Every structure is written in structure tokens, then in C-alpha cells.
Amino acid sequence: MGWQEEVVSALDARVAHEGLPAREPRWRPLGRAVGGRTPGVFAVDVRGSDAGMDRKLATLLRAQRARSVPATQLIAPGGHIDPGLGQFGARPADVLSRHVQVSDIDDEVSFYETFAARLAEATTSLWIWSPWTAKRLTGLLPVLGEAVRRGVRVTVFVRDPYDTGQKKQTDLVKRLRAVVPTVVSVNVMHQKIVVIDERTVLLGSLNSLSQSRSREVMLTIEGGHFARKNLAHEHSEDFARTPCCGACHGDEVDLRRRGNGTWHWRCYNRACPGRRGDRAWQTEVRFRPSGRR
């Protein structure tokens, strides 16, 4: 009989592979034999034997005491772990999902080609933190509108309208709000982040909705775990739910942080009946139970 890894013979409770044809079998003890369903075929217990690791593993796989998992299942797109991996397959998949790939490094000239391509690829969600708006936004509004029409959830965070830089761009912010369902005003924000489909992060020094002449750098980083970590750090879900003012019932409410680190919403409508001098209606941010303040 020719060499066949699948067929083993048992001799005195010791297992050996059969030798080559017309030659005396070369018996080698591997471990104790355990009778299988097929006559003449045995599972092998190789614990404590001198068999090589590759042969031990092959024997365990035949005995269904070990499981093989394709690497393509462990490295899942977007970091979403395949539930079919089971408990032990899911653990290495989770570890691998924490690794990231820096796919692009752009300056202020090349960034917008990368940005436009990434926006066009968005399928589920788009989060943008860009403190200021300027003429640059005009060219991006059609791309953002197209994403909204595709069913992408688009959320944009910008500085409040009484910020010195934003006062000149009131009309642009209104145009942005007409295209994007959720635009959140944030007092003194300075983050420059874009998160696409919870798997791609564009992060750096460039204001994506206003950049004009300054020298900048932006990294494009692929990794579902890293993307979700950014969203959690920025409290994206909690901060995307801007309440109406409890006094004037309007939507001119911005997000603010006190010196002690706590967050609150504040009405910036100067005609609000709840305003008393510099004091305005405000309410604490309600974080979800899993949210970190």
C-alpha cells in the first residue's frame, strides 16, 4: 500500500503509518490507537509521543479534536467577527481586528481626491468633525447629498455660529443643514476627523470643510476596531442627539464642556425667553449607560 496520511494501522495499541510498496513497513510509534467508525482506521492520541508537531496536528484534525480556520475568516473586513468562528476562533479574530493599516498619507493638495473617493464608497455611515466651514464646503455639498440619498447616515460636527470664524459663514452652515440631516454645533471644538462605515478613519490637521491655503497632513487608517474606538471616544451617538431648547423650543442649541469636564447643551438663540443676560437655557448631556463621560 502506498503512503497515505489518512490510513494508519494499529499494532499492540501502538500506531504506525504503513510503508512503501514492496518494502518492509517502517513502523514508528506515534501514540495510542482509538478505534474509529471505519474498520482498520484509528484516531491517534499523540500526547507524550515523539511525533513532530505537524504530524500531531494532522492527527488531531483527523480525530476531530482540533479545528482549522482559514486566515481569511480571522481577518474580517471592517473588524466584524464571523459568529461561525466559535469561541476559540473569535478570540484570535478579535486580536487581529485591533491591528490597523495606514493606507494613505495626504497633504492639503492630494487629500481631497482621497476624500471624494472615500465619500463615494460610503454605504452605511459618515461622521465628520470639521470646526469651520468655508468655500471648500460648496464643492462637497453634492457629494454629501448623494451619500444621504444612498441611505448613508451622515452626521457633521462644526463650531457654533457665534464663533469668530463661523460668523462669516452663516449661509454656508444653513446650506449644509439643508443637505445633511444631522449637523451639531459644538463650542470651541477643534477635532479634524472623518469616520466612514465604522472601518475607515481620516485623521490629521486638515479642516475637511474649510481648508484653503495652509500646509496640512491627513492619514487614512483602515481598521474597524480603531474606527469604533474613535467614535466611542468622541461620544458620537450621544452628541448626535441635539435636544430642542426647553424654553423657546427651537433647535439653536450647541454642545459645551465645562472646566470640570462635564458636558451640557446650551441654547444660543439671543431671543430665547429663557435667556437672562449671559445666562441661557441649558441641560446636561444624557449619556447612554455604556457611554464614558
Side-chain angles (χ1 to χ4, degrees):
M1 177 180 292
W3 181 276
Q4 296 185 39
E5 286 286 346
E6 294 83 5
V7 179
V8 296
S9 297
L11 179 64
D12 295 330
R14 303 174 78 183
V15 177
H17 288 283
E18 294 195 7
L20 297 173
R23 295 186 183 181
E24 184 178 351
R26 297 177 300 177
W27 302 105
R28 181 187 178 190
L30 293 179
R32 293 195 173 276
V34 179
R37 296 180 179 178
T38 305
V41 178
F42 299 83
V44 185
D45 183 356
V46 296
R47 289 176 295 182
S49 78
D50 60 351
M53 288 303 298
D54 55 343
R55 187 169 294 177
K56 288 183 180 182
L57 181 57
T59 303
L60 290 172
L61 288 171
R62 285 197 297 272
Q64 296 184 345
R65 294 177 58 193
R67 180 184 175 189
S68 64
V69 179
T72 52
Q73 285 186 261
L74 294 176
I75 306 175
H80 297 289
I81 299 173
D82 183 354
L85 289 173
Q87 177 183 359
F88 296 102
R91 291 181 67 181
D94 178 61
V95 172
L96 290 172
S97 73
R98 298 169 188 267
H99 291 265
V100 300
Q101 176 186 1
V102 179
S103 57
D104 288 292
I105 302 178
D106 290 294
D107 60 16
E108 69 281 0
V109 176
S110 63
F111 170 73
Y112 283 97
E113 182 177 350
T114 298
F115 190 35
R118 296 292 180 168
L119 292 183
E121 294 170 356
T123 60
T124 58
S125 63
L126 172 60
W127 300 82
I128 299 175
W129 284 261
S130 180
W132 297 284
T133 55
K135 292 181 180 179
R136 176 70 69 175
L137 176 61
T138 304
L140 291 171
L141 285 175
V143 183
L144 295 174
E146 178 58 32
V148 172
R149 287 188 289 274
R150 290 199 308 272
V152 178
R153 178 191 179 187
V154 181
T155 306
V156 179
F157 296 87
V158 297
R159 282 207 179 190
D160 65 89
Y162 287 101
D163 174 82
T164 303
Q166 287 289 73
K167 286 181 179 179
K168 303 175 183 179
Q169 308 298 341
T170 304
D171 290 340
L172 274 177
V173 176
K174 288 181 179 179
R175 291 176 61 185
L176 177 63
R177 291 183 182 278
V179 172
V180 175
T182 305
V183 177
V184 182
S185 296
V186 185
N187 180 250
V188 300
M189 70 162 282
H190 204 246
Q191 301 96 309
K192 293 95 172 180
I193 312 170
V194 179
V195 181
I196 303 171
D197 291 343
E198 295 190 9
R199 70 170 183 264
T200 303
V201 179
L202 284 67
L203 180 67
S205 64
L206 185 147
N207 291 287
S208 58
L209 303 184
S210 67
Q211 201 281 330
S212 178
R213 298 177 58 188
S214 56
R215 293 299 310 277
E216 309 290 350
V217 64
M218 291 291 280
L219 305 181
T220 300
I221 304 170
E222 307 285 352
H225 183 269
F226 179 71
R228 290 189 292 274
K229 198 78 172 177
N230 270 271
L231 292 174
H233 178 268
E234 297 301 325
H235 307 292
S236 57
E237 290 292 349
D238 295 315
F239 290 168
R241 298 177 296 173
T242 306
C244 291
C245 172
C248 66
H249 307 293
D251 58 2
E252 296 177 273
V253 175
D254 65 12
L255 176 65
R256 293 175 175 248
R257 194 175 198 181
R258 301 186 183 93
N260 63 5
T262 59
W263 293 91
H264 65 284
W265 301 101
R266 184 176 186 273
C267 179
Y268 58 79
N269 178 7
R270 299 297 173 87
C272 175
R275 180 173 287 274
R276 298 291 184 272
D278 291 336
R279 300 182 62 183
W281 175 90
Q282 60 181 329
T283 186
E284 302 300 307
V285 172
R286 295 183 179 179
F287 289 92
R288 295 169 301 164
S290 59
R292 180 180 60 82
R293 305 189 183 190

